[in-house]
Amino acid sequence: MGQHFKLRLRNSSQVVCVSSTREQFKRKGDMNNLAVKQNATVIVAMDGTIFAVDTEQALSKLDWYQAATFDQDFDVSGKSILPGFVDGHTHPVWSGDRVHEFEQKLAGATYLDIHKQGGGIGFTVAKTREASHEELEALLMTRLDRMLRQGTTLVEAKSGYGLETETELKMLRVLKSAQDKHAIDISATFLGAHSVPKGSTPAEATVDVVDKQIPAVVAARENGDIYVDNIDVFMEKGIFDSDQSEAILSKGKACGMCINFHGDELTFMGSGELGAKIGARAISHLEEVSKVGIAAMASNDVFGVLLPTTAYVLRITPPPAREMIDSGVLVALGSDFNPNAHCLSMPFVMNLAAVTMKMTLSEALVAATLNSAASLNKSDMHGSIEVGKWGNLVVVDNAQWTHVVYELVDAPIAAVFVKGEAVPMTRIAHL
C-alpha cells in the first residue's frame, strides 16, 4: 500500500520556491534568484510539512509517487505557486477607526500635527482601553481572515494601544487567543513604548515600561497567559529618544525578547546605528536612515523592514530600498496595518515596493516571504517552498507568478493553503 499525503498540487506552470538550499535569508543580487521550477508539483505530508517539490516528469518515475494517495489532489495547470506571504510589521489589535484623520491628512495635516492634537495613536489608545477582550478578538479575527485570503500565512503583530500595563496585557492575551484559534501564525511583539501617555513625559514613560510593564509581561508569559517574541519602541523626535529607546529595548532583550523596533520614520534618530550597537534583529520604517546607519545594519545583519504603505499614506519620501539592498542590508517588507495605514494585502505592498521604492519584482517577493520570515526568526519553517517547511502555499491564477504583484487591488489568488489545508472562501472551485 502506498503512502498517503494531505495535499498534491500538480502540473503547476511555475513553482517559485524562493530558496532551494535552506538559506535563512537573501541579500543583494541573490534576491533575484527565486529557484523556480517549471511544470512542477508540490506534495504536503499529513503533518502539514512539504514532503516533495519537483517536476511532474521527475516525480512520475518514482515508485512511491506512483502508489501515493492524497486527501486533496488538484491539477493546477496554467497556474503558479508561491510561498505563503509573511507580513513583517502590523498593528492589528485595536478598536476605533481613524477615517476622519485620513480626510485631515488629505487636507494637508501631518502625522505629527494630528498627534499633537490628541489624535493618531492617542485616539486609538482611548478606544482600545475601553474595548473588551471579546470585542478586540472579534475585530482581530476578521482582520486575520482578510490577510489570509490575500495570501498572508505568518504575521508579526504588536500590542501598543494601551501604553499602560493592563491594556497592553489585554492586547497580548488577544493575540494569544487568536494564535490558538486562527490558521495564521502570529509572531507577537510587545510595544508598550508606542507613544507617551497623556499626562506623562518620555522619561516617566520609559521608567514605567522598564520597571512596570516589562516585568508584568514576563510574569504573564511565565504563567502561560501570553507569549511574546519581540520588543519594540517608537524611536522618534518628541517621543522616545535614543537613550530611552536603548533602555527599553535592552531590558526586553535581557528578558528574552528579540529587538524589532520603529526607527528613523519621520526624523533621523540614528536608529540604524543604535540597532547595530545593541544587537537588533530588525528595524522598521527607515525613511530617514543615514548612510552610516545603512552600513552598520549591513555589517551586523540587522533587517530593514520597509513599509511602503506608510510613505504612500503620509505622502513622505519612501525608504531608500535600492541603496539599502545594494549596500547589503537584509530587506524585508510589511504592511504596517494600523488605523493610519489600513492595508491588509501583501500583494499590494509588493506593488508599492516595486513602483515607489524601485525594487525588482523578485526582490519584492523575497522581501515578502523568506526575508520577512527571517526578520522574525521564523525562516526555518516559513518563507520558501522547501522540503520540511510548512506547506503554506499561494496559488496564483496565472502561469506567471508576477501577476500577483502586477494586478492591482484584486490580486489573482486562486487558493491559499496553510499547512496543506485549503483556506475557506478562496476560489478553490477554479482549481
Side-chain angles (χ1 to χ4, degrees):
M1 187 173 179
Q3 291 177 271
H4 187 70
F5 297 94
K6 181 177 286 189
L7 173 69
R8 175 171 67 171
L9 298 176
R10 51 192 164 84
N11 299 316
S12 172
S13 295
Q14 294 180 319
V15 174
V16 184
C17 298
V18 174
S19 168
S20 60
T21 60
R22 298 292 296 205
E23 58 200 323
Q24 294 182 30
F25 48 72
K26 288 177 177 281
R27 73 170 90 228
K28 299 183 84 169
D30 194 35
M31 293 180 75
N32 288 298
N33 176 14
L34 298 180
V36 179
K37 294 182 182 293
Q38 309 288 340
N39 302 314
T41 291
V42 180
I43 297 172
V44 179
M46 294 304 295
D47 66 358
T49 62
I50 296 168
F51 182 84
V53 51
D54 208 337
T55 64
E56 183 66 19
Q57 182 179 20
L59 288 170
S60 64
K61 298 176 182 177
L62 303 175
D63 291 342
W64 69 263
Y65 186 69
Q66 295 172 18
T69 56
F70 309 91
D71 279 349
Q72 305 168 89
D73 189 8
F74 299 105
D75 183 350
V76 291
S77 299
K79 295 173 172 54
S80 47
I81 303 174
L82 302 174
F85 306 135
V86 180
D87 192 336
H89 181 122
T90 77
H91 304 256
V93 185
W94 49 269
S95 180
D97 66 55
R98 303 208 306 252
V99 67
H100 58 287
E101 293 180 6
F102 181 54
E103 294 186 89
Q104 288 179 269
K105 283 178 285 197
L106 293 177
T110 68
Y111 180 90
L112 290 179
D113 288 338
I114 293 170
H115 183 81
K116 290 173 183 176
Q117 295 168 10
I121 293 172
F123 178 86
T124 305
V125 166
K127 297 295 184 181
T128 304
R129 286 178 177 177
E130 294 170 1
S132 67
H133 176 110
E134 291 74 19
E135 178 187 346
L136 292 174
E137 183 178 327
L139 289 166
L140 173 60
M141 295 292 278
T142 298
R143 292 160 186 161
L144 294 176
D145 286 345
R146 292 175 64 186
M147 290 180 181
L148 192 53
R149 290 196 294 270
Q150 291 288 322
T152 296
T153 56
L154 169 63
V155 61
E156 185 271 353
K158 307 175 189 296
S159 67
Y161 292 122
L163 310 185
E164 41 78 18
T165 304
E166 182 180 351
T167 307
E168 290 295 319
L169 288 175
K170 176 174 66 175
M171 296 179 71
L172 291 169
R173 290 189 197 100
V174 167
L175 286 171
K176 183 178 187 303
S177 182
Q179 177 65 100
D180 292 342
K181 299 174 183 177
H182 205 280
I184 284 184
D185 280 328
I186 301 171
S187 179
T189 299
F190 168 61
L191 180 52
H194 197 188
S195 187
V196 177
K198 187 176 181 180
S200 185
T201 66
E204 292 168 341
T206 300
V207 171
D208 183 67
V209 172
V210 171
D211 293 345
K212 185 176 181 182
Q213 292 189 41
I214 291 177
V217 166
V218 171
R221 183 183 65 189
E222 291 175 351
N223 289 335
D225 296 335
I226 64 172
Y227 70 99
V228 182
D229 300 310
N230 315 295
I231 179 80
D232 194 354
V233 63
F234 187 18
M235 182 175 165
E236 184 55 67
K237 182 179 180 181
I239 304 177
F240 294 100
D241 66 22
S242 181
D243 290 342
Q244 292 159 346
S245 297
E246 181 174 355
I248 292 166
L249 296 170
S250 296
K251 179 64 178 284
K253 183 180 180 181
C255 294
M257 304 176 211
C258 293
I259 296 174
N260 189 326
F261 71 104
H262 291 63
D264 290 340
E265 177 184 355
L266 304 172
T267 312
F268 169 67
M269 297 290 291
S271 67
E273 295 87 334
L274 175 63
K277 171 187 171 185
I278 63 177
R281 181 62 173 179
I283 307 170
S284 291
H285 285 291
L286 299 165
E287 285 84 352
E288 300 295 332
V289 68
S290 70
K291 292 184 181 297
V292 173
I294 289 173
M297 291 176 67
S299 298
N300 290 276
D301 287 350
V302 181
F303 284 82
V305 183
L306 307 186
L307 315 171
T309 50
T310 308
Y312 173 74
V313 169
L314 297 181
R315 295 172 168 174
I316 60 177
T317 302
R322 188 74 269 141
E323 182 179 357
M324 295 175 74
I325 291 171
D326 293 343
S327 298
V329 174
L330 299 168
V331 168
L333 287 172
S335 69
D336 196 19
F337 171 72
N338 71 83
N340 175 62
H342 207 291
C343 176
L344 296 154
S345 168
M346 287 305 290
F348 181 59
V349 170
M350 287 188 279
N351 184 283
L352 286 178
V355 174
T356 70
M357 299 196 304
K358 301 180 181 179
M359 292 174 68
T360 68
L361 297 181
S362 295
E363 288 169 344
L365 181 64
V366 169
T369 53
L370 185 68
N371 280 12
S372 278
S375 76
L376 302 172
N377 294 293
K378 302 281 188 182
S379 62
D380 59 329
M381 294 298 290
H382 295 266
S384 60
I385 301 176
E386 297 183 86
V387 172
K389 288 194 174 186
W390 290 124
N392 295 344
L393 307 165
V394 177
V395 180
V396 179
D397 200 6
N398 197 286
Q400 292 182 277
W401 74 265
T402 48
H403 275 257
V404 81
V405 183
Y406 166 67
E407 295 188 29
L408 281 169
V409 183
D410 184 21
I413 295 176
V416 178
F417 294 86
V418 177
K419 299 174 184 174
E421 295 286 351
V423 172
M425 298 182 67
T426 58
R427 289 174 281 191
I428 193 70
H430 291 200
L431 290 178

